[in-house]
Amino acid sequence: MAFYITTPIYYVNAQPHLGHAYTTIAADVLARHMRQRGEDVFFLTGTDEHGEPVAQVAEREGITPRELADRNAERFKSLMPRLEVSNDFFIRTSDPQHEARVQEILQTVYDRGHVYEGIYEGWYCPRCADFKTEAELGPGNTCLIHEIPLDRQREENWFFRLSSFQEPLERLYREHPDFVLPRIRFNEARSFVAQGLRDVSLTRARLRWGIQVPWDQEQVFYVWFDALLNYVTALSYAPSPMETESVKGQGLFERFWPATVHLIGKDILKFHAVYWPALLMAGGLELPRHLFVHGFLLMDDKKMSKSLGNVLDPFEVMDKYGTDALRYYCVRDVSFGQDGNVSPAAFESRYESELANEYGNLASRTIAMIVRYRDATIPAVPTDPSLAGDFEALPEEVAALLDRFELTQALEVIWQRVRRLNRYVEERAPWRLAKDPAAADELDRTLASLAEGMRAVSVLLAPYMPATTSRLLGAIGAPTVDYARAGFADRGSGARVEAIEPLFPKQPQ
Ligand code: MSP
């Protein structure tokens, strides 16, 4: 099955921060999980480079928008390998192929009669690059997101007939209750539509930094339309990921459109849940299957953002604790889909109690005992059915949760097994069994079961913590992370193990 997942494309007017890393890590977990299951995956991320916010920052810094975009796009691009993110392509909206395809699609939208010329006057936020509706105004005509005064703007430009999609969008929300997830965001989107849709500006006259409107030399496309289309345009020029027999020769568009899921933050819901499906309908294109809307990572109950100055630097965290610790923390501490506070103290506490003490320690002591008591070989004996029972249906449970993009819950059910394994060590006390020659079989079974449990949880944890699980699985002679190997086997593997350095050192550098 094709699985096409996207992140929002990031504005290049800011440096990457944890909020950006967050969506990307979440998308990566899902992409890796689907690859484990043998699905045909395409994972897209990239940068949103046109529009006023970028032009304004460039002007302030005395450089051209293109120079700013080149410099900052590089920072986002290099963030991906740093985060161990396995995107198949990195799109930049300044790519000439993207620009050409945007012009082509929007020309079709124009030719099909969805565009007209008019005058717009309204409250505009230059940071959001968005005209606000009455319901979106803060006190004194301010932006609720950026807490800055809005500009009153009046402009002659081209309009997209969003209002004519009122009925089709109502039908979409009636007939596809899982188009937007979670439910609270679905309701929000549906009620936005229900309030009545007004036409929106498709182009901007005052700006040069954007994609030229093919039928009007004086205008460029409004950045949001240019940006949303990245999800489609990338498929016309990205290189193809591995092809299986069944999809050989197919173009990426045929293979992957419609997208399975766009992951987005709640601040960009309106664009994705209202403008985007309307635009696709206008262009005669199929709609994505799902939007999954996550919440905000907050610090002291405020959204972390460059403009508010309260940023937790993902690079610092990774330098000190490693990438997997950051990946784990992002998904673990804040339930994916909801808002939640993050803090250095909460990070350190999870690192210490869960990564170092629970998972890391389980690995170290299990391997150490196998080395010591069984000459570094996992006994090839039947595993303990009572422990196996606690792992039954775990892979299916994880897959079902991840099919609904429930990243935190899936991690939680896996982690319950990590804890179960630690309890098993305490219950069986292998160090006591080792002292009793009559308990040799029992010790064999205990060690085989522990190694097997650790292997099974690590296969399921691989999408969350790819580097660490790969080290551990390598050390126990079971490097494969195929989902088909995620079940708890009824026999110890007989493989040799190697001692490893602590996976999550107590005193990181
Ligand atoms: N360029 C637009 C998206 C266009 S998609 C066609 C944009 N860019 S952004 O860089 O401002 O934000 C990208 C994503 O990062 C959004 O989904 C946003 O919600 C997310 N985050 C930015 N700060 C965040 C937090 N503090 N917490 C969680 N995610 C947040 O919007």
Side-chain angles (χ1 to χ4, degrees):
M1 226 178 49
F3 181 82
Y4 177 23
I5 184 165
T6 66
T7 72
I9 48 173
Y10 303 108
Y11 283 135
V12 286
N13 57 340
Q15 304 259 1
H17 61 66
L18 193 63
H20 306 122
Y22 183 56
T23 323
T24 321
I25 289 169
D28 189 57
V29 171
L30 290 164
R32 286 177 183 270
H33 170 76
M34 289 301 171
R35 288 195 201 100
Q36 282 188 305
R37 280 161 64 179
E39 310 295 4
D40 188 25
V41 172
F42 194 75
F43 169 17
L44 180 70
T45 187
T47 41
D48 186 353
E49 306 191 1
H50 292 130
E52 213 146 343
V54 176
Q56 279 187 349
V57 172
E59 197 180 304
R60 226 177 296 139
E61 294 192 15
I63 54 177
T64 65
R66 184 169 298 280
E67 282 166 341
L68 180 80
D70 285 346
R71 189 184 72 200
N72 284 358
E74 204 35 60
R75 294 188 179 144
F76 280 95
K77 204 168 177 177
S78 62
L79 178 66
M80 302 307 157
R82 249 336 240 108
L83 291 171
E84 299 264 1
V85 159
S86 63
N87 55 304
D88 293 292
F89 189 56
F90 188 96
I91 190 169
R92 296 185 53 185
T93 53
S94 61
D95 291 342
Q97 301 96 320
H98 166 79
E99 299 189 351
R101 188 79 184 105
V102 166
Q103 289 177 323
E104 209 178 325
I105 296 171
L106 292 175
Q107 180 71 53
T108 308
V109 170
Y110 175 87
D111 294 343
R112 291 164 63 124
H114 299 294
V115 177
Y116 65 93
E117 202 167 15
I119 289 176
Y120 195 89
E121 187 169 346
W123 293 106
Y124 183 79
C125 172
R127 292 255 185 80
C128 293
D130 185 20
F131 280 101
K132 303 290 175 178
T133 63
E134 290 300 316
E136 292 174 314
L137 294 181
N141 300 318
T142 49
C143 169
L144 287 170
I145 297 169
H146 293 100
E147 301 174 356
I148 53 170
L150 299 170
D151 304 337
R152 189 75 190 169
Q153 285 203 4
R154 184 188 151 87
E155 213 176 77
E156 223 180 283
N157 53 34
W158 294 91
F159 279 74
F160 173 58
R161 260 183 237 285
L162 182 64
S163 59
S164 69
F165 291 92
Q166 179 80 33
E167 204 283 321
L169 287 173
E170 282 172 4
R171 184 159 7 103
L172 169 70
Y173 281 94
R174 217 170 30 243
E175 292 175 1
H176 297 276
D178 57 358
F179 177 61
V180 176
L181 297 164
R183 191 70 197 174
I184 163 182
R185 302 297 165 208
F186 175 92
N187 291 339
E188 203 178 300
R190 191 179 48 185
S191 68
F192 188 90
V193 174
Q195 281 164 22
L197 297 174
R198 287 174 44 190
D199 295 343
V200 289
S201 288
L202 175 69
T203 68
R204 307 304 317 273
R206 290 195 212 150
L207 193 71
R208 300 268 31 106
W209 179 235
I211 300 179
Q212 193 81 77
V213 174
W215 63 86
D216 181 345
Q217 296 309 302
E218 299 302 306
Q219 308 237 354
V220 296
F221 285 113
Y222 172 40
V223 63
W224 266 101
F225 288 96
D226 158 358
L228 286 163
L229 281 166
N230 91 87
Y231 303 132
V232 168
T233 64
L235 298 180
S236 64
Y237 68 101
S240 174
M242 278 238 294
E243 287 180 357
T244 58
E245 267 317 306
S246 61
V247 295
K248 239 196 183 110
Q250 273 183 32
L252 286 183
F253 185 79
E254 292 72 33
R255 200 166 141 197
F256 291 109
W257 194 257
T260 313
V261 61
H262 298 309
L263 290 193
I264 59 168
K266 64 176 187 179
D267 51 336
I268 53 179
L269 178 68
K270 175 179 77 178
F271 301 102
H272 285 81
V274 183
Y275 293 15
W276 182 223
L279 181 66
L280 287 167
M281 290 180 201
L285 295 162
E286 269 188 90
L287 307 191
R289 302 268 181 255
H290 307 284
L291 306 176
F292 187 94
V293 189
H294 65 70
F296 286 157
L297 299 181
L298 309 170
M299 284 190 86
D300 305 325
D301 293 317
K302 268 202 179 293
K303 180 190 174 206
M304 262 192 314
S305 82
K306 182 79 181 165
S307 46
L308 298 177
N310 57 345
V311 173
L312 186 84
D313 185 0
F315 295 101
E316 275 172 30
V317 174
M318 288 190 287
D319 285 343
K320 185 156 180 209
Y321 297 94
T323 298
D324 280 350
L326 177 73
R327 291 174 62 106
Y328 175 83
Y329 178 71
C330 282
V331 182
R332 180 75 168 160
D333 212 25
V334 176
S335 183
F336 193 60
Q338 289 166 26
D339 290 348
N341 279 300
V342 294
S343 70
F347 172 86
E348 279 165 30
S349 141
R350 293 245 182 218
Y351 179 88
E352 172 105 8
S353 66
E354 296 178 355
L355 293 176
N357 287 349
E358 293 179 341
Y359 187 65
N361 206 18
L362 172 71
S364 309
R365 55 183 183 164
T366 303
I367 291 178
M369 289 189 292
I370 295 172
V371 168
R372 183 136 154 232
Y373 304 138
R374 288 298 176 262
D375 196 21
T377 302
I378 300 171
V381 300
T383 49
D384 188 338
S386 75
L387 186 61
D390 290 329
F391 281 74
E392 212 176 281
L394 177 63
E396 293 79 7
E397 199 182 340
V398 169
L401 287 165
L402 292 181
D403 280 341
R404 298 201 305 272
F405 319 109
E406 311 245 12
L407 292 172
T408 306
Q409 282 82 343
L411 183 55
E412 171 59 26
V413 298
I414 304 169
W415 214 260
Q416 283 164 8
R417 275 44 173 217
V418 172
R419 292 187 169 146
R420 174 70 192 100
L421 290 167
N422 278 309
R423 281 202 309 278
Y424 189 75
V425 177
E426 298 306 323
E427 283 161 22
R428 312 295 303 171
W431 48 90
R432 269 207 298 275
L433 298 174
K435 288 193 189 125
D436 176 4
D441 287 354
E442 217 179 316
L443 180 59
D444 274 346
R445 188 166 56 154
T446 300
L447 294 178
S449 305
L450 278 174
E452 180 52 18
M454 212 167 63
R455 189 198 62 74
V457 291
S458 300
V459 170
L460 293 170
L461 284 175
Y464 294 89
M465 301 194 284
T468 308
T469 50
S470 152
R471 267 178 68 203
L472 173 55
L473 290 167
I476 60 172
T480 163
V481 292
D482 286 355
Y483 176 78
R485 296 292 317 280
F488 192 99
D490 55 12
R491 274 191 94 73
S493 70
R496 286 195 63 77
V497 303
E498 279 163 30
I500 45 172
E501 295 291 307
L503 296 174
F504 295 101
K506 283 275 174 60
Q507 247 93 47
Q509 300 319 304

